[in-house]
Amino acid sequence: MNFDENEDVILLRRSISEFMKRFTEEYWRRCDENREFPQEYWEAAAQSGLLAITIPEEYGGAGLGMYEAATAMMEVARCGGGLAAGDLLMRTLVFGGVMINRHGTKEAKEKYLPKLASGRAICSFAHTEPNAGVNTFDIQTRAEKRNGGYVVNGQKIWITLAHKADFIVTVVRTTPKEKAKSKTHGISVMIIDTKQEGVKTFKIHGMAMRALTSNTVYFEDAFVPEENVIGEIDRGWTCLTTLFNAERISTSSISLGCGEYVLNKAVDYAKNRIIFGRPIGSNQAIQFPLAEAKAELEVAKLMTLKAAWLFDQGRDCAIEANIAALQAGRAAMKAADRAIQTYGGMGFALDNDIERFYRDIRLFKTAPVPEEMVLNLIATKLLQLPRSF
Ligand SMILES: Cc1cc2nc3c(=O)[nH]c(=O)nc-3n(C[C@H](O)[C@H](O)[C@H](O)COP(=O)(O)OP(=O)(O)OC[C@H]3O[C@@H](n4cnc5c(N)ncnc54)[C@H](O)[C@@H]3O)c2cc1C
């Protein structure tokens, strides 16, 4: 076993940290306050190749794996970009570089991957519906075969960046639940182009990830050509598990980057804030919770990188990716909470950015997968306890 990072990963991290110096805390704060898309970051990330890490070389990418993708998402978040910067990378690296690349048709790869790698297209991923969140099998968005393709009708909710997306990787039903041969049968995944009459988006003003914005999306006879089907019709669940694992690894990485960012700020503040004639950081009541947060972030990082490594070996990593998501989210939340406590009243000042990270980090306890569902998975799959639902 070798825990040493290879030279390429070290260089990648260094170059990202250098790259992120262009984007100040004020920049990210402004995007958040104004609910404004970080266009300059997006363009610069495209130019520097950050959007192309997992896209194969033949489509204009670097052909690297989830380990490098995780490293990149962690680093952009840690350098102040937080959830917005990390999530923007995830769109191309996971929804494109993993999902379309591993399971899409040749035509879809040729059509979408070069655009994603160069930042000329933005994509979203849609599975949540008003009546189907953690219960994906209850989705009602329906795709019917018609005119050499599929026609999609239904509604999705909370779809991040759908209002800016050129296409949405969408989970649909191609066989109604009551006629499906098994629990997972009847689910399919399709790439739906948004620049058509049948796709309408409406913004939701939420508490987290304000720079990106989530949306309600309506599909009304939206057309999907045959080549935009990802994986096999009715058997989309297989490729969805790939996406879910990669998404968990990504959000763990972003959580860890966010956690490190707030922790670093808290440590600096603890060293410099003088109360009762000495730095508050000399009190163990301030030190120990920060030390605990650091320890928990480090442990969660090991599990995240292990999951990414397994993913790149083509091995099952569902348990590891879910444990990583749970632990990274919790460790980051603890770091953010302790950062506010360390800052005292100043932790609530918008100019210190801690509250923005606090809001954003809170998301990871709920999305993309709520903690309860991770615990359900660990209990039933790893501990083989009876399923409760
Ligand atoms: C800011 C934001 C961005 C998002 N972006 C996207 C996106 O881009 N694409 C997308 O598809 N979705 C997105 N989502 C949706 C997100 O993935 C869902 O909110 C999440 O999966 C939970 O689904 P739900 O909200 O329907 O909760 P529900 O399914 O209604 O569950 C509510 C609560 O009950 C708990 N619960 C339910 N059943 C059980 C059980 N058997 N045991 C224990 N607890 C249970 C859940 O864990 C949860 O805490 C986003 C959400 C937010 C807030």
Side-chain angles (χ1 to χ4, degrees):
M1 195 176 290
N2 182 357
F3 288 97
D4 284 337
E5 273 187 337
N6 72 38
E7 203 56 37
D8 291 346
V9 172
I10 296 169
L11 278 177
L12 177 69
R13 185 176 297 111
R14 273 199 209 128
S15 70
I16 293 176
S17 144
E18 202 49 44
F19 163 80
M20 287 301 285
K21 287 185 182 150
R22 294 189 226 172
F23 304 98
T24 60
E25 289 177 327
E26 291 73 27
Y27 173 77
W28 294 110
R29 195 181 311 138
R30 195 184 66 234
C31 291
D32 183 78
E33 271 172 17
N34 300 339
R35 297 182 186 270
E36 187 181 303
F37 182 77
Q39 187 66 35
E40 300 78 7
Y41 165 77
W42 174 257
E43 285 169 14
Q47 253 181 9
S48 67
L50 278 183
L51 303 181
I53 291 175
T54 55
I55 310 251
E57 289 178 40
E58 58 187 304
Y59 300 115
L64 298 170
M66 265 320 283
Y67 196 98
E68 289 82 3
T71 303
M73 289 182 265
M74 210 180 291
E75 195 60 11
V76 294
R78 191 189 69 79
C79 292
L83 177 49
D87 184 278
L88 275 178
L89 295 195
M90 178 175 74
R91 318 220 129 247
T92 57
L93 303 186
V94 171
F95 306 150
V98 168
M99 189 63 168
I100 298 179
N101 181 38
R102 283 203 183 180
H103 301 286
T105 61
K106 189 168 180 293
E107 291 88 340
K109 289 185 208 179
E110 282 167 358
K111 182 173 173 195
Y112 296 107
L113 294 184
K115 286 187 191 160
L116 285 175
S118 59
R120 283 177 292 126
I122 294 180
C123 74
S124 289
F125 169 59
H127 70 97
T128 310
E129 298 187 0
N131 293 315
V134 299
N135 52 335
T136 307
F137 301 118
D138 287 338
I139 59 165
Q140 285 163 358
T141 297
R142 182 98 177 88
E144 282 168 335
K145 199 147 180 44
R146 223 187 287 167
N147 306 333
Y150 291 84
V151 170
V152 177
N153 283 285
Q155 182 188 348
K156 297 285 178 184
I157 193 167
W158 286 113
I159 309 311
T160 303
L161 272 182
H163 63 296
K164 278 195 81 76
D166 296 275
F167 61 92
I168 305 176
V169 173
T170 309
V171 187
V172 298
R173 267 224 167 262
T174 32
T175 298
K177 194 177 174 191
E178 54 283 5
K179 290 192 182 154
K181 292 178 192 150
S182 68
K183 192 173 81 172
T184 58
H185 179 255
I187 299 278
S188 303
V189 186
M190 300 179 172
I191 304 171
I192 304 185
D193 286 322
T194 55
K195 310 287 181 241
Q196 57 173 311
E197 271 286 293
V199 181
K200 295 194 175 59
T201 65
F202 297 89
K203 288 183 186 172
I204 302 171
H205 290 300
M207 132 184 164
M209 216 165 33
R210 289 185 187 169
L212 304 192
T213 306
S214 297
N215 300 264
T216 302
V217 181
Y218 292 92
F219 299 114
E220 291 161 1
D221 285 341
F223 184 72
V224 180
E226 188 84 50
E227 65 268 19
N228 278 20
V229 173
I230 300 184
E232 281 180 57
I233 284 293
D234 280 338
R235 297 185 201 290
W237 188 252
T238 317
C239 45
L240 264 184
T241 54
T242 314
L243 186 150
F244 287 148
N245 289 340
E247 190 183 46
R248 311 279 191 267
I249 295 167
S250 305
T251 54
S252 306
S253 308
I254 300 167
S255 303
L256 292 170
C258 290
E260 285 287 343
Y261 171 86
V262 286
L263 183 66
N264 290 340
K265 285 197 73 128
V267 168
D268 275 352
Y269 194 80
K271 285 179 185 164
N272 294 307
R273 173 76 170 160
I274 309 293
I275 298 292
F276 295 120
R278 57 195 187 139
I280 54 168
S282 56
N283 300 302
Q284 288 179 336
I286 293 289
Q287 277 179 12
F288 281 10
L290 295 177
E292 263 181 47
K294 178 65 178 167
E296 288 172 24
L297 286 168
E298 287 296 327
V299 173
K301 186 172 170 187
L302 275 182
M303 188 50 103
T304 303
L305 294 178
K306 179 180 177 187
W309 178 81
L310 283 170
F311 188 94
D312 288 339
Q313 309 298 310
R315 287 162 58 181
D316 183 21
C317 64
I319 295 288
E320 289 79 1
N322 276 279
I323 293 180
L326 177 77
Q327 293 306 114
R330 287 185 170 182
M333 196 70 243
K334 181 175 217 164
D337 185 53
R338 292 315 304 182
I340 292 196
Q341 201 64 18
T342 303
Y343 265 73
M346 291 310 284
F348 295 81
L350 303 193
D351 286 356
N352 283 324
D353 298 300
I354 308 276
E355 70 80 39
R356 170 165 58 90
F357 274 76
Y358 185 85
R359 276 189 280 112
D360 281 352
I361 288 170
R362 179 59 185 80
L363 179 65
F364 298 123
K365 287 169 86 68
T366 300
V369 58
E371 285 190 341
E372 294 83 2
M373 301 321 282
V374 174
L375 293 170
N376 274 326
L377 181 92
I378 297 170
T380 54
K381 291 277 185 294
L382 200 58
L383 305 180
Q384 280 153 22
L385 287 163
R387 198 178 155 94
S388 63
F389 56 97

